């Protein structure tokens, strides 16, 4: 059969010998037996395997000794799966915290600049222009943050990949997608929060100031 990994991917593909059982089976003790079975009635199949092995070796009396190959391979990457789950959770938390921070900052700024917004509207500025004014500032902040964060992120990913024998290239589009997602979240938060202030009657804004 073709080469395949039977160890975690931190190791390269190494030699492996698979013996087909029969009368010519070598006489030394083998630690693992692979059985191709029909998955339609797996519980009956496992019972038959256990019964046959107990007949060959009475000490074989533990169901945990029978397991599926895909599960065994999946268990090899338990650490990586936990790491991926942690990264996902903390990424979502970071997005949530940053979004709340942006909302709080834009709430303060729109209240602080109500008089300015009212004067701009009196002088002919449209709602779109006011929203663009607020978004321009925060888009610039996101771009600067991305420029500062992208190199360390690339270094961390490459350093993590160095633990594996086979490494996939870090595609540029991943960073582009991250930047686009951050911009969409920022623009949406700023627009939603500043829209109400931009739609206010400028007379009320100037009068209350």
């Amino acid at each position: 059969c073709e080469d395949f990994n039977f160890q975690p991917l931190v190791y390269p593909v190494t030699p492996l010998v698979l013996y087909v059982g029969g009368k010519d089976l070598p006489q030394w003790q083998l630690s693992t037996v692979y059985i191709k079975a029909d998955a339609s009635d797996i519980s009956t199949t496992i019972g038959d395997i256990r019964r046959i092995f107990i007949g060959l070796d009475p000490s074989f009396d533990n169901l945990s000794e029978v397991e599926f190959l895909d599960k065994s391979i999946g268990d090899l990457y338990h650490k990586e799966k936990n790491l991926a789950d942690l990264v996902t959770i903390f990424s979502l938390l970071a997005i949530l915290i940053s979004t709340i921070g942006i909302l709080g900052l834009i709430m303060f700024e729109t209240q602080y600049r109500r008089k300015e917004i009212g004067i701009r509207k009196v002088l002919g500025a449209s709602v779109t222009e006011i929203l663009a004014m607020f978004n321009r500032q925060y888009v610039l902040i996101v771009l600067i943050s991305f420029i500062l964060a992208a190199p360390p992120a690339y270094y961390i990913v490459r350093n993590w990949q160095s633990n594996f024998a086979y490494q996939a290239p870090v595609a540029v589009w991943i960073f582009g997608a991250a930047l686009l997602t951050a911009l969409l979240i920022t623009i949406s938060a700023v627009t939603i929060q500043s829209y109400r202030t931009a739609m206010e009657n400028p007379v009320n804004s100037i009068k209350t100031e």
Side-chain angles (χ1 to χ4, degrees):
C1 61
E2 296 181 2
D3 291 340
F4 64 92
N5 274 85
F6 55 94
Q7 300 181 97
L9 287 178
V10 295
Y11 304 103
V13 174
T14 55
L16 175 69
V17 178
L18 301 176
Y19 288 95
V20 179
K23 63 179 180 179
D24 296 326
L25 187 68
Q27 296 304 309
W28 62 80
Q29 183 179 5
L30 300 179
S31 60
T32 306
V33 175
Y34 295 96
I35 300 174
K36 185 177 181 180
D38 185 3
S40 59
D41 189 5
I42 198 65
S43 59
T44 302
T45 302
I46 291 177
D48 293 339
I49 293 173
R50 182 172 180 269
R51 185 169 55 256
I52 291 172
F53 271 83
I54 290 176
L56 296 174
D57 182 5
S59 65
F60 184 88
D61 193 19
N62 189 348
L63 281 177
S64 64
E65 296 183 31
V66 179
E67 59 183 12
F68 296 98
L69 181 60
D70 55 350
K71 181 181 181 300
S72 300
I73 295 177
D75 290 341
L76 298 177
Y77 302 99
H78 185 69
K79 179 180 177 182
E80 282 71 25
K81 185 179 183 302
N82 287 342
L83 178 62
D85 292 339
L86 286 175
V87 169
T88 301
I89 291 172
F90 282 105
S91 297
L92 293 175
L93 284 175
I95 292 173
L96 178 61
I97 293 172
S98 61
T99 303
I100 293 173
I102 291 172
L103 288 174
L105 190 59
I106 195 62
M107 284 178 64
F108 170 79
E109 188 171 1
T110 50
Q111 291 300 316
Y112 182 75
R113 300 175 66 178
R114 285 183 67 195
K115 185 175 181 179
E116 176 190 344
I117 295 171
I119 293 174
R120 286 179 179 272
K121 292 192 69 175
V122 169
L123 295 177
S126 64
V127 174
T128 303
E129 291 172 341
I130 294 174
L131 294 178
M133 176 186 67
F134 281 106
N135 277 293
R136 192 179 302 115
Q137 174 184 350
Y138 289 93
V139 166
L140 180 61
I141 294 174
V142 171
L143 291 176
I144 295 174
S145 301
F146 176 79
I147 292 172
L148 295 175
Y154 178 82
Y155 173 78
I156 291 172
V157 171
R158 292 300 298 173
N159 186 56
W160 177 72
Q161 282 188 324
S162 65
N163 297 319
F164 293 86
Y166 307 102
Q167 303 171 15
V170 181
V172 178
W173 68 265
I174 296 177
F175 293 92
L179 176 60
L180 181 61
T181 302
L183 288 174
L184 288 175
I185 293 174
T186 301
I187 292 173
S188 299
V190 172
T191 301
I192 292 172
Q193 189 58 45
S194 59
Y195 181 77
R196 181 182 300 176
T197 304
M199 289 296 294
E200 280 187 355
N201 189 331
V203 176
N204 296 333
S205 301
I206 297 173
K207 183 174 62 176
T208 54
E209 294 288 339

